[in-house]
Amino acid sequence: MNEDHYIKKIDRVTSILTQLQTKSIVRAQDLADKFDVSIRTIYRDIKTLENAGIPIFGEAGSGYSLVDGYKLPPVMFTKEEVLSFITAEKLMQKFSHESLDSHYNSAMEKVKAVIRNSEKNLVQNIENQIDIYSYRPENSDNVKNIIPTILESIADKKQLKFHYQNVKDEASERIIEAVGIFYEVNYWYVMAFCTMRKDFRQFRVDRILKIEKTENPFHQEYGNVGDYRKKSKNQKVGVRLLVEKKILPFLVNSKKYYGLVAEEESDNKMLMTFETEWIEEGFPRWLITFADFAEIIEPKYLKDTMNDLISKISNQLNKK
């Protein structure tokens, strides 16, 4: 066998050891899929680790884990991994939720603490050479540590009770079983089963006025949040816009994201048909970026939504 084969094996075995350190149980099939090798190869890699004195509990066909209480020396990071951490930190500073910031910063301090001295100079030299330019709404949540509270409720399978203010500034009390959180169009949302509506709903996190984790358990296994994002798209609203062709090249990368289903030429304009679930927030905010080149055909109430949004923007700009 050539040298390249042994290098790949060493990298794979090292990565498997890292997986064992970070997960309670690691399945051989998952490892085989991750490294694109056969399960037999994974069995041999596990045997290599055992022969090196790593106490691994488990067997083929079920899963593997490190014997409880066994401690390994701190993981050493490669230069490429250190650079990826710096980039990820910059992204977190722009896109993370404020309730996660302090926790992430604390975690990054621990990561940096185990970086070799030679790599610490690299961190200092490169941190100021990376920046992320992105719009982030200047709004502050009403509840401290709101996302950690939501995530704890998912981990503990306990219902949440909160007061929620909708887009019309109407407040209501809800009891939910949280499925997960997601980030979309500059805002964080929680996807959940609403016990009042008896259906799945998404709630914008910054509209939650008060929240508490109850002691009421829920037993339903909801699966991945992405699955319910797809299901939620059953609640769609049809939108038709007559758009000037000269603006179309600027919409290529976003029109499908906002639910484009059909286009039909009409003189020097394009009749665009959408099916969107974001009729109250996301779609109007996207439409406003090219509203001077578009005519709303339907639904008619979208015109009122746009007028309200434009008025809010105008009032905000005219504040002294």
Side-chain angles (χ1 to χ4, degrees):
M1 295 185 181
N2 58 32
E3 182 179 352
D4 184 57
H5 169 80
Y6 286 110
I7 292 174
K8 286 182 178 179
K9 179 180 175 66
I10 291 170
D11 288 344
R12 189 174 62 248
V13 170
T14 302
S15 185
I16 289 173
L17 181 55
T18 301
Q19 293 285 306
L20 289 167
Q21 288 180 264
T22 56
K23 296 181 180 180
S24 56
I25 294 180
V26 180
R27 295 176 59 249
Q29 184 61 62
D30 292 338
L31 292 172
D33 293 341
K34 178 179 177 63
F35 299 109
D36 195 24
V37 296
S38 67
I39 291 184
R40 284 184 175 275
T41 297
I42 297 299
Y43 293 159
R44 288 195 291 269
D45 291 341
I46 293 293
K47 192 66 176 177
T48 297
L49 287 169
E50 290 176 332
N51 291 338
I54 306 299
I56 298 175
F57 177 80
E59 57 184 28
S62 55
Y64 300 100
S65 61
L66 291 176
V67 171
D68 192 35
Y70 179 72
K71 300 295 182 183
L72 286 167
V75 173
M76 291 294 104
F77 300 110
T78 66
K79 181 181 294 184
E80 291 77 14
E81 288 169 339
V82 172
L83 290 171
S84 72
F85 285 142
I86 299 170
T87 307
E89 185 176 24
K90 293 293 183 178
L91 286 168
M92 282 292 291
Q93 289 170 358
K94 294 294 183 180
F95 293 103
S96 74
H97 190 267
E98 60 183 21
S99 65
L100 299 174
D101 288 346
S102 62
H103 303 292
Y104 182 79
N105 291 337
S106 174
M108 279 303 300
E109 287 177 0
K110 293 176 182 178
V111 169
K112 290 176 180 178
V114 299
I115 293 175
R116 292 189 295 264
N117 285 333
S118 60
E119 308 299 357
K120 288 179 181 178
N121 291 331
L122 172 66
V123 171
Q124 292 175 354
N125 292 334
I126 208 70
E127 276 185 323
N128 293 330
Q129 308 310 120
I130 302 173
D131 206 349
I132 309 295
Y133 298 99
S134 172
Y135 166 72
R136 184 172 180 176
E138 293 184 3
N139 62 294
S140 180
D141 293 320
N142 299 283
V143 184
K144 186 179 179 181
N145 285 331
I146 187 167
I147 285 186
T149 299
I150 294 169
L151 295 177
E152 282 180 20
S153 80
I154 296 171
D156 297 341
K157 297 182 74 68
K158 296 290 180 66
Q159 291 181 339
L160 288 168
K161 180 168 72 173
F162 64 77
H163 294 273
Y164 187 74
Q165 188 174 45
N166 64 19
V167 69
K168 299 178 181 178
D169 293 331
E170 300 168 339
S172 62
E173 183 178 276
R174 304 290 184 98
I175 296 177
I176 65 167
E177 298 176 357
V179 176
I181 60 174
F182 62 93
Y183 183 83
E184 182 176 81
V185 197
N186 296 311
Y187 292 98
W188 281 95
Y189 294 82
V190 54
M191 174 64 69
F193 179 79
C194 177
T195 60
M196 182 174 76
R197 301 295 185 189
K198 304 297 182 185
D199 200 359
F200 292 93
R201 292 287 189 272
Q202 61 187 51
F203 303 93
R204 221 173 80 181
V205 168
D206 64 299
R207 294 188 182 280
I208 296 175
L209 306 177
K210 181 181 178 182
I211 190 169
E212 64 177 292
K213 187 176 70 172
T214 74
E215 292 304 315
N216 302 327
F218 62 89
H219 305 288
Q220 179 67 37
E221 294 292 340
Y222 288 120
N224 298 324
V225 65
D227 297 335
Y228 288 87
R229 288 286 297 119
K230 293 173 184 176
K231 289 179 182 179
S232 72
K233 290 181 181 179
N234 292 327
Q235 304 165 6
K236 295 178 179 176
V237 174
V239 176
R240 291 200 303 157
L241 306 175
L242 195 59
V243 181
E244 294 183 26
K245 287 185 178 180
K246 61 184 178 182
I247 198 65
L248 294 178
F250 298 96
L251 308 180
V252 170
N253 295 325
S254 57
K255 60 185 181 181
K256 288 190 178 295
Y257 179 81
Y258 284 95
L260 180 73
V261 293
E263 290 180 307
E264 181 183 344
E265 290 193 28
S266 177
D267 296 328
N268 64 336
K269 296 185 179 181
M270 186 73 74
L271 181 62
M272 305 176 73
T273 302
F274 298 82
E275 289 183 359
T276 180
E277 58 177 315
W278 307 321
I279 195 65
E280 290 187 352
E281 284 283 339
F283 195 92
R285 292 184 181 278
W286 174 65
L287 176 55
I288 206 168
T289 63
F290 62 98
D292 49 337
F293 297 100
E295 177 187 351
I296 298 171
I297 306 300
E298 63 178 12
K300 300 296 184 184
Y301 68 82
L302 180 56
K303 294 182 179 180
D304 296 330
T305 302
M306 294 296 293
N307 281 326
D308 290 343
L309 180 56
I310 291 169
S311 294
K312 288 180 180 179
I313 294 172
S314 178
N315 292 336
Q316 186 70 21
L317 292 175
N318 290 323
K319 279 184 178 179
K320 294 183 179 180

